[in-house]
Amino acid sequence: MKNISSYSFCQEGHIKKNSSDLQFVPESAPRHYSPDLTILCRDLDVNIHFKDLTSKKADVTAKITVSGMGSGSNEIRFNAKADSIKISQLKINNTIFNDYSIKNDKLIIHRSVKADETIEITVDYLLDYPKSGIYWIIPDPKRPQRPSQIWTQGESEEARYWLPCIDSPMQVYPTKFTVKVPNGFDVLSNGKLLEKIEEGDETVFVWYQDQPHPAYLITLCIGKFVFYEDAPIREEVPLRYFADKDQFSSDDLYRSFKETPQMIKFLSEKLNVDYAWAKYHQVVLEDFTGAMENTSATSWFWDSLLSKDESEIYPNPHITEEVNIHELAHQWFGDLVVIKHWASAYLKEGMVTYLTSCYLEEFYGKDVHFLDMYNNQEYYLKELKTRYARPIVHNKYNYSFDLFDDHTYPGGAWRFHMIRRIIGDKLWWKTLTQYLTVNRHKSVESMNFIKALDEISGINFREFFDDWVFSPGVPDLKIQYSFNNKTKTKLVVLNVEQSQAIMKTNKDDSVQFDYDKLFKLDFQIGWLDKDHVWHYERIHIPKQLSTAVSFPVAEEPLAIYINSNLDVLMEYKVKEFSTKMHKNLAEYGPDTLSRFLAIKELIKKEFVKESKFITKIIKKEADSCIQSFRKMIHEVGEIRSPLSFNILKSLIDEKRDKLPVVASVIPLLGKFQTEKALELLLSFTNHHNTALQNLAIRQLGSTQFSEKVFDLLKENVDKPSWNSKMAINAINSLGDLYEPISEIVWFLLDIAEQTKYHFNVRTNALQGIISHASMIDTGLKVKIIPRLEVLLSDPEDRISRKSASVLSNLKSFSSKPLIETMINTLSDGLQNQMRTVMENFGKDDQPTKELTQLRKEIFNVSKTNKELKEKLLKLETIVFSDKKGSDNQK
Ligand SMILES: [Zn+2]
């Protein structure tokens, strides 16, 4: 799945260099293993009757066929939540059987099953207010556009809340769903629609997934849908996109998902394995978050559909397109070949994150692919350095969903990318074909992938997996550059130190290092000659702390590009390339990533002196690659000086007609906190393109011009807009505005309480209060706490959870018992997520009045500090241009 939106260290998670008290999970967390395979599920046949769509109840009969395996079993164990699965009758082979128990999340049937014996278990039950797995969207008279829907979400361990089943990815089986709903509603599910029959006021839908799949990939979506019929994948394999028929049109669906056919073609051809399922549906669901790759039917986040205006400002690829290829690729990786255990989630999530990048390479070019992989590196390294370092394959956790992090997704993607670089494109795709073919409809772990790799490439990949997948961390190189022209052959010399392995430097400068943290590296380096032609060398770094490598050159290089083929995931610092070398790389870099990296260095070291040069390069980039342009101007925006503002403003002035360029600049303007920035932002609040209006509204709060923006932001909360985007942007902007604090807090609380707003507007309003929490004084706090406590019992659990988060940020210790009661009503996965909220309370260190006052003062001091810094930079700019003027006169 994809989320749209990172803990004394356990031994394997310890990076001593970045020692902090953060770790992935506490030492006490258990290790998890796949269950024994003594019972095999053969088939699941479920009959569900939803008498109405609002009662959060249904009558269900589940028939489960199982066989004994190996030595057989003394009992039959299913995952089933006792709270919501109220069994009325259980039969074995059609005979009533009473010797069973259902407790917590296990249904245990005391009946032995011999090896090779097959039996059929029929469970009749009332599905009653499940905490997870299946969700009822209930219309609200205050929000007329809210549709009536029911949908399920199984990953990672949620199917058991509504279905008795073997809820482990290692067990795959065909499923049949016979679903009865009131007339007028559609039912969508996995596989093929066998029947649709009207029975009086109700309609029965029979869906059959004849190919085996795990419980977490089961889907049911009930609602009134409009759909767009795209060209079939092949004969009798339809391709359709669905959304609520009262809010969206088939045009909206087409606009957002139109790239799907080219994606299916790309994956089928590259993988050399046809799309496996009976159809492909993409279903946009009310209130759904993230996207989920159920077999043959992907569920989508509620605001995935693009407005016409958004499609103008986002040059492809946009998030919807990237999520589209991600979920589609799961139909092969995760669905056709299933992971045996959550510990190996990277085999599906890392793989499809990487295939997304391969798709970008195919359709948008190498530049976009390189930038995407660089972004993947940044996400992963951020988690690694600021949160925790764990091995990519990891079975020590509290709840399996904890593994769905930036180690698994971008970190996993990078491991696959490096493998592709080692074996080359041809063998890479051949390996994937082999892995998919051999393991079709089976469950896998790393060894299955290593086996395919060994067979196709002939290379033994165990060491690679030990270093990169089964151990934590990445290389962090310190590179010393020198050019040697004293010898007969001119040489570039690089002294490379693997600093990640340094555990300690002794007083006598000798170092102690950890041999297990060394890597064997092989990557390409580019160097530029005087005719601006690039030459490439490969360098090999063995598993040792420091290595000197050199290569001959005809003359001193004008620029050097380390890791120019993006071969290796690593951090590196070079001591020391000259400004001239950075400028040459920015101007003549062979790809857009190299130009971005050079511009980033120049901005860091010589922003004022080289501003004209930097601006020239950025303007050129605006016309060639919007993605790298956006990354370059982000670095300019971070400087937050008058000079950087002027550069950004000049980009808008010159490229006003290029909406993607303008849309890239607007999000950088709020932090300048100057009249000029405010003026520029206000000029976009009435722009004909509503998506640009949204971006400008989102920035107004950060400018801190309360008297000019507070009322405007309030007004925009009630402006009708595509997927409530204007309201959400105005609310988030209010979350950034510091004054008038009490009016803002009251306003946000008021919004959070009203069900006429979408839950996302309401949760963002609560998030706004969290961002003001440290500045809320005791007087205001005592007034808002009772109202926040009422929200703890909001029917929408995202609101109650967010309210708990606000209360913990406000250190409302008296609310603790109420919060604990609320947490107990949540599913196991959500209870696990809420632990951090309780940890937020920390020790009983209720902030004093003095502390609140101190926080306000720090805020004011940092504000003054920023003003001073700006003045200084202004002076610097003037002094510099004067100096330049007089230099020229000479
Ligand atoms: Zn995914």
Side-chain angles (χ1 to χ4, degrees):
M1 89 172 286
K2 180 117 177 161
N3 291 308
I4 308 301
S5 57
S6 286
Y7 313 110
S8 132
F9 271 85
C10 48
Q11 274 168 354
E12 59 258 81
H14 198 153
I15 282 196
K16 290 196 172 134
K17 275 175 60 188
N18 302 313
S19 187
S20 73
D21 58 354
L22 298 176
Q23 67 179 44
F24 176 58
V25 284
E27 286 290 350
S28 58
R31 289 199 179 273
H32 297 258
Y33 299 91
S34 299
D36 297 335
L37 192 59
T38 51
I39 296 279
L40 181 72
C41 184
R42 299 272 179 198
D43 184 68
L44 180 64
D45 182 350
V46 185
N47 215 300
I48 309 186
H49 186 187
F50 294 100
K51 290 191 185 110
D52 66 80
L53 298 189
T54 55
S55 70
K56 296 197 180 182
K57 287 180 186 216
D59 293 320
V60 191
T61 300
K63 257 186 221 165
I64 316 158
T65 309
V66 298
S67 297
M69 297 289 286
S71 52
S73 178
N74 295 333
E75 57 182 25
I76 304 159
R77 281 172 173 257
F78 291 127
N79 301 101
K81 283 284 182 184
D83 288 356
S84 45
I85 294 178
K86 310 253 169 87
I87 302 178
S88 54
Q89 179 177 276
L90 189 144
K91 286 181 184 168
I92 293 185
N93 294 337
N94 268 324
T95 306
I96 290 177
F97 189 87
N98 288 322
D99 192 9
Y100 67 88
S101 65
I102 178 163
K103 223 169 121 187
N104 298 324
D105 80 339
K106 288 269 183 312
L107 165 61
I108 302 175
I109 303 168
H110 305 285
R111 153 69 148 92
S112 63
V113 184
K114 291 190 209 82
D116 301 325
E117 183 191 14
T118 296
I119 59 170
E120 189 186 87
I121 299 146
T122 309
V123 190
D124 290 329
Y125 62 97
L126 171 72
L127 177 63
D128 191 10
Y129 278 81
K131 287 175 180 171
S132 185
I134 184 164
Y135 302 85
W136 277 259
I137 307 301
I138 298 171
D140 185 325
K142 288 184 189 135
R143 188 150 64 93
Q145 71 272 34
R146 186 173 167 84
S148 182
Q149 289 184 358
I150 300 175
W151 44 258
T152 64
Q153 165 57 25
E155 194 167 41
S156 51
E157 299 171 42
E158 316 300 308
R160 64 190 65 179
Y161 284 86
W162 65 286
L163 267 181
C165 60
I166 299 184
D167 191 7
S168 155
M170 72 180 289
Q171 291 237 10
V172 296
Y173 35 87
T175 58
K176 187 173 163 194
F177 280 86
T178 305
V179 186
K180 196 192 263 190
V181 292
N183 283 342
F185 284 90
D186 293 318
V187 178
L188 302 171
S189 186
N190 316 81
K192 214 172 181 152
L193 180 66
L194 298 183
E195 271 183 300
K196 181 183 169 186
I197 322 150
E198 263 191 44
E199 289 181 3
D201 294 345
E202 296 173 304
T203 309
V204 180
F205 294 77
V206 184
W207 284 93
Y208 185 44
Q209 174 60 286
D210 63 341
Q211 302 185 70
H213 64 155
Y216 86 89
L217 293 174
I218 292 171
T219 179
L220 275 187
C221 305
I222 300 165
K224 294 180 174 175
F225 301 115
V226 61
F227 70 90
Y228 179 86
E229 178 101 45
D230 215 324
I233 297 170
R234 53 180 181 270
E235 212 181 323
E236 290 186 37
V237 184
L239 174 59
R240 286 177 187 162
Y241 322 131
F242 295 81
D244 174 46
K245 76 179 174 69
D246 292 330
Q247 297 176 80
F248 302 104
S249 69
S250 62
D251 282 355
D252 298 331
L253 287 157
Y254 172 72
R255 181 169 59 239
S256 307
F257 298 131
K258 62 180 184 304
E259 296 88 4
T260 315
Q262 77 177 26
M263 293 173 177
I264 295 174
K265 189 168 181 286
F266 165 76
L267 289 168
S268 312
E269 286 177 6
K270 284 282 184 193
L271 300 169
N272 200 18
V273 174
D274 281 345
Y275 176 81
W277 313 96
K279 54 109 204 309
Y280 191 52
H281 283 175
Q282 312 230 49
V283 193
V284 178
L285 296 163
E286 188 74 6
D287 290 7
F288 199 87
T289 50
M292 184 63 208
E293 70 273 18
N294 310 302
T295 55
S296 78
T298 290
S299 296
W300 277 85
F301 50 107
W302 69 279
D303 57 348
S304 56
L305 296 181
L306 292 171
S307 71
K308 275 186 194 138
D309 282 355
E310 281 169 303
S311 58
E312 273 178 39
I313 69 158
Y314 295 119
N316 286 337
H318 172 258
I319 183 75
T320 298
E321 188 178 0
E322 289 184 14
V323 176
N324 195 354
I325 179 74
H326 176 112
E327 304 305 335
L328 180 66
H330 272 312
Q331 299 297 323
W332 284 261
F333 296 90
D335 293 11
L336 186 61
V337 171
V338 188
I339 54 166
K340 195 167 266 175
H341 193 266
W342 300 113
S344 310
Y346 82 105
L347 281 175
K348 69 185 192 82
E349 299 301 347
M351 178 63 83
V352 305
T353 304
Y354 185 53
L355 290 174
T356 298
S357 210
C358 295
Y359 166 84
L360 296 177
E361 182 180 23
E362 180 89 0
F363 290 92
Y364 300 99
K366 180 186 153 190
D367 276 353
V368 175
H369 167 54
F370 268 34
L371 285 171
D372 183 62
M373 288 310 293
Y374 180 78
N375 290 338
N376 280 331
Q377 174 174 309
E378 282 192 319
Y379 289 130
Y380 168 61
L381 289 178
K382 190 179 173 195
E383 186 172 79
L384 188 82
K385 290 198 295 195
T386 63
R387 295 194 62 201
Y388 49 79
R390 64 165 180 87
I392 301 297
V393 171
H394 199 56
N395 67 353
K396 192 175 169 76
Y397 52 80
N398 280 315
Y399 194 76
S400 53
F401 210 75
D402 292 345
L403 294 168
F404 288 68
D405 61 3
D406 284 342
H407 278 63
T408 293
Y409 286 71
W414 254 99
R415 273 69 185 176
F416 291 119
H417 177 69
M418 287 189 284
I419 291 169
R420 177 181 166 199
R421 282 291 188 261
I422 293 168
I423 63 176
D425 281 16
K426 203 176 146 202
L427 297 187
W428 161 252
W429 293 110
K430 233 178 141 181
T431 301
L432 297 192
T433 308
Q434 169 98 340
Y435 168 76
L436 288 168
T437 309
V438 171
N439 301 297
R440 192 182 175 96
H441 293 313
K442 289 184 185 149
S443 61
V444 293
E445 51 199 343
S446 297
M447 279 317 292
N448 301 85
F449 194 75
I450 296 173
K451 193 164 182 280
L453 264 174
D454 286 0
E455 282 168 13
I456 296 297
S457 73
I459 298 171
N460 184 347
F461 268 91
R462 272 120 189 118
E463 184 179 5
F464 177 94
F465 274 77
D466 273 347
D467 293 348
W468 289 98
V469 180
F470 304 134
S471 318
V474 294
D476 184 357
L477 307 186
K478 302 264 179 296
I479 303 172
Q480 174 95 42
Y481 162 79
S482 59
F483 171 64
N484 188 344
N485 61 358
K486 295 191 180 82
T487 48
K488 205 170 168 192
T489 316
K490 292 171 183 159
L491 289 175
V492 161
V493 182
L494 302 171
N495 285 298
V496 181
E497 184 184 87
Q498 298 205 34
S499 74
Q500 80 284 348
I502 297 176
M503 310 298 281
K504 201 174 146 197
T505 304
N506 299 319
K507 276 182 189 158
D508 63 352
D509 277 352
S510 63
V511 295
Q512 287 175 11
F513 70 96
D514 181 352
Y515 188 81
D516 280 342
K517 291 197 183 302
L518 291 170
F519 291 86
K520 200 160 79 183
L521 304 169
D522 186 317
F523 55 89
Q524 183 183 275
I525 290 191
W527 67 276
L528 182 68
D529 73 15
K530 63 177 187 326
D531 300 319
H532 303 145
V533 175
W534 282 94
H535 304 266
Y536 297 97
E537 296 287 338
R538 287 207 78 84
I539 69 163
H540 310 280
I541 310 284
K543 280 191 172 179
Q544 58 191 42
L545 190 59
S546 50
T547 310
V549 290
S550 62
F551 52 87
V553 286
E555 72 228 36
E556 179 157 22
L558 293 184
I560 285 197
Y561 181 13
I562 309 266
N563 202 14
S564 55
N565 192 36
L566 220 61
D567 295 302
V568 176
L569 166 65
M570 62 179 181
E571 289 190 274
Y572 64 86
K573 273 196 188 72
V574 182
K575 204 177 166 195
E576 169 93 359
F577 288 153
S578 64
T579 301
K580 190 75 201 149
M581 289 173 93
H582 290 309
K583 284 176 77 173
N584 285 331
L585 187 58
E587 191 144 25
Y588 304 106
D591 55 54
T592 184
L593 176 61
S594 60
R595 301 195 287 272
F596 162 70
L597 293 172
I599 286 292
K600 193 179 169 187
E601 282 298 308
L602 282 171
I603 289 172
K604 209 160 80 186
K605 290 178 178 145
E606 303 277 2
F607 179 62
V608 174
K609 206 170 147 204
E610 298 296 344
S611 64
K612 278 192 181 137
F613 175 81
I614 293 167
T615 312
K616 180 185 93 177
I617 299 291
I618 289 177
K619 283 182 181 166
K620 225 162 82 185
E621 207 69 22
D623 298 322
S624 62
C625 180
I626 196 75
Q627 286 85 357
S628 62
F629 166 75
R630 203 173 288 150
K631 287 188 79 67
M632 285 179 180
I633 59 167
H634 176 81
E635 300 296 324
V636 173
E638 285 298 296
I639 303 281
R640 296 182 206 174
S641 69
L643 178 59
S644 67
F645 176 77
N646 286 340
I647 293 175
L648 296 175
K649 185 171 182 302
S650 75
L651 290 166
I652 289 189
D653 291 342
E654 277 177 42
K655 315 246 177 210
R656 198 164 270 275
D657 297 334
K658 287 192 107 182
L659 295 189
V661 169
V662 178
S664 306
V665 179
I666 294 175
L668 305 172
L669 298 174
K671 287 177 181 158
F672 284 93
Q673 301 180 343
T674 61
E675 292 267 7
K676 278 182 178 172
L678 175 72
E679 219 174 89
L680 190 53
L681 285 169
L682 289 171
S683 74
F684 286 102
T685 55
N686 294 311
H687 196 275
H688 65 83
N689 181 299
T690 53
L692 287 187
Q693 285 182 32
N694 273 314
L695 292 173
I697 290 288
R698 177 66 188 85
Q699 292 301 307
L700 289 177
S702 304
T703 65
Q704 305 302 341
F705 284 93
S706 290
E707 63 288 359
K708 291 189 178 156
V709 306
F710 183 42
D711 290 336
L712 180 64
L713 289 175
K714 285 198 296 189
E715 283 161 26
N716 274 285
V717 174
D718 284 319
K719 245 188 186 171
S721 64
W722 180 265
N723 279 334
S724 300
K725 283 197 171 145
M726 189 64 91
I728 291 166
N729 282 302
I731 290 288
N732 286 332
S733 211
L734 282 166
D736 293 336
L737 189 64
Y738 292 118
E739 283 158 357
I741 183 85
S742 101
E743 279 93 329
I744 293 172
V745 170
W746 280 120
F747 181 79
L748 293 175
L749 184 57
D750 206 42
I751 299 290
E753 289 172 334
Q754 298 185 57
T755 60
K756 73 170 184 176
Y757 297 106
H758 192 278
F759 86 87
N760 228 16
V761 178
R762 298 174 66 205
T763 45
N764 278 292
L766 291 170
Q767 184 60 42
I769 301 177
I770 292 176
S771 56
H772 293 308
S774 63
M775 289 194 289
I776 296 176
D777 60 35
T778 318
L780 178 56
K781 211 186 279 185
V782 294
K783 288 183 195 147
I784 62 170
I785 285 174
R787 286 173 60 174
L788 287 162
E789 288 177 342
V790 171
L791 287 176
L792 284 175
S793 48
D794 194 273
E796 169 59 69
D797 79 49
R798 279 168 282 206
I799 300 296
S800 52
R801 284 187 282 135
K802 203 63 167 176
S803 308
S805 184
V806 182
L807 288 164
S808 76
N809 275 280
L810 291 174
K811 306 274 180 200
S812 173
F813 294 93
S814 59
S815 310
K816 260 180 149 177
L818 279 173
I819 296 175
E820 277 159 0
T821 310
M822 183 278 286
I823 291 177
N824 286 334
T825 68
L826 299 172
S827 68
D828 300 349
L830 291 176
Q831 288 195 23
N832 179 54
Q833 276 181 31
M834 292 302 286
R835 280 183 329 169
T836 50
V837 169
M838 292 312 280
E839 282 160 17
N840 237 346
F841 277 106
K843 296 187 195 87
D844 287 356
D845 58 347
Q846 207 152 356
T848 56
K849 213 171 175 182
E850 289 76 19
L851 189 63
T852 307
Q853 186 56 33
L854 206 62
R855 281 180 178 142
K856 277 188 181 171
E857 279 167 18
I858 289 171
F859 170 67
N860 288 332
V861 168
S862 70
K863 215 168 154 183
T864 316
N865 184 31
K866 203 153 93 233
E867 283 160 13
L868 285 170
K869 202 173 133 200
E870 289 202 3
K871 277 180 190 158
L872 188 72
L873 272 157
K874 206 177 217 166
L875 279 171
E876 202 180 352
T877 317
I878 294 164
V879 170
F880 173 70
S881 51
D882 281 356
K883 189 174 169 287
K884 212 170 157 193
S886 60
D887 284 352
N888 286 345
Q889 277 162 17
K890 279 180 202 166

